[in-house]
């Protein structure tokens, strides 16, 4: 593996792993444009921190990138806002997708079957958990509002969302075993 601390080495890393990182992001956010932004920020963060990378193998570099991507996705899902600090600091602009590119990314990443599986698994959840997820995740309401809408305590609303997310994650994990990241 070429040393990723050099420009050529980092470009080689990008060419080798960008599709994997894009797939990782796309399968977690189910939106091609957001996934492209998250992938770009992942590589910008990696570029900024490349001198701190201590691995020596391709699997170590891949794991390092996926850890950065996982943090980017988690931050996005928690805050609902894309982190663009590394790209801004480096002066990198994420290109806008042209007509048809989002659909092509979604096709390559297998997002339609994933969306269908998610919809099916949502139907399997109990009505209480499904409604709590709809309010919290889809409508992005704060927990006090979710609790009020459901007529339960905030702790109960949090528990329903948590149980629903765990159930979805477990069932999708089984369905998509071997398809990761």
């Amino acid at each position: 593996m070429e040393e990723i601390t050099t420009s050529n080495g980092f470009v080689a890393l990008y060419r080798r792993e960008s599709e994997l990182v894009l797939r990782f992001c796309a399968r977690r956010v189910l939106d091609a444009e957001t996934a492209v932004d998250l992938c770009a920020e992942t590589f910008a963060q990696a570029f900024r921190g490349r001198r701190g990378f201590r691995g020596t193998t391709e699997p170590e570099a891949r794991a390092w990138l996926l850890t950065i991507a996982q943090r980017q996705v988690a931050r996005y899902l928690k805050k609902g806002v894309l982190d663009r600090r590394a790209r801004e600091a480096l002066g990198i602009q994420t290109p806008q997708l042209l007509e048809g590119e989002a659909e092509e990314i979604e096709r390559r990443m297998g997002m339609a079957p994933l969306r269908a599986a998610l919809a099916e698994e949502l139907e399997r959840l109990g009505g209480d958990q499904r409604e709590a997820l709809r309010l919290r995740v889809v409508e992005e309401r704060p927990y006090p509002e979710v609790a009020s809408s459901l007529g339960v305590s905030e702790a109960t609303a949090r528990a329903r969302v948590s149980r629903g997310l765990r159930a979805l994650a477990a069932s999708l994990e089984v369905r998509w075993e071997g398809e990761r990241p």
Side-chain angles (χ1 to χ4, degrees):
M1 181 180 92
E2 192 171 349
E3 184 70 36
I4 68 169
T5 58
T6 67
S7 293
N8 287 342
F10 194 83
V11 168
L13 174 72
Y14 176 82
R15 287 185 177 143
R16 189 175 61 247
E17 306 297 347
S18 61
E19 187 83 1
L20 175 80
V21 172
L22 180 60
R23 178 183 206 85
F24 179 90
C25 295
R27 291 219 158 183
R28 281 150 185 84
V29 298
L30 299 178
D31 180 76
E33 290 186 34
T34 302
V36 168
D37 274 343
L38 289 166
C39 183
E41 186 63 21
T42 294
F43 277 97
Q45 291 279 350
F47 185 79
R48 285 178 68 186
R50 71 191 184 283
R51 294 200 187 342
F53 176 67
R54 299 290 175 242
T56 57
T57 66
E58 286 183 18
E60 288 171 327
R62 189 172 301 119
W64 176 66
L65 279 173
L66 291 176
T67 298
I68 296 168
Q70 184 176 25
R71 288 184 187 134
Q72 292 301 316
V73 169
R75 188 175 296 123
Y76 169 74
L77 293 175
K78 181 177 181 180
K79 296 181 178 180
V81 178
L82 290 164
D83 182 356
R84 294 183 168 95
R85 289 178 291 184
R87 284 179 285 165
E88 288 170 359
L90 294 170
I92 297 172
Q93 291 188 351
T94 306
Q96 297 297 312
L97 295 179
L98 300 174
E99 188 173 327
E101 286 181 324
E103 293 81 6
E104 174 60 17
I105 290 169
E106 290 182 5
R107 187 194 61 73
R108 284 194 342 254
M109 303 303 128
M111 288 167 55
L114 183 57
R115 282 189 184 114
L118 179 60
E120 187 178 311
E121 294 302 331
L122 272 169
E123 284 301 312
R124 291 184 182 173
L125 288 179
D128 291 346
Q129 289 177 354
R130 187 173 47 251
E131 182 62 7
L133 284 175
R134 184 184 68 76
L135 293 169
R136 177 69 181 139
V137 178
V138 177
E139 294 185 13
E140 298 180 340
R141 292 192 191 178
Y143 278 108
E145 279 187 37
V146 172
S148 177
S149 293
L150 297 174
V152 299
S153 70
E154 189 174 330
T156 300
R158 286 179 182 275
R160 287 181 184 175
V161 169
S162 178
R163 280 189 230 119
L165 288 173
R166 278 197 311 269
L168 282 177
S171 59
L172 290 173
E173 184 77 28
V174 169
R175 285 180 81 148
W176 294 90
E177 189 101 4
E179 288 283 325
R180 294 187 68 110

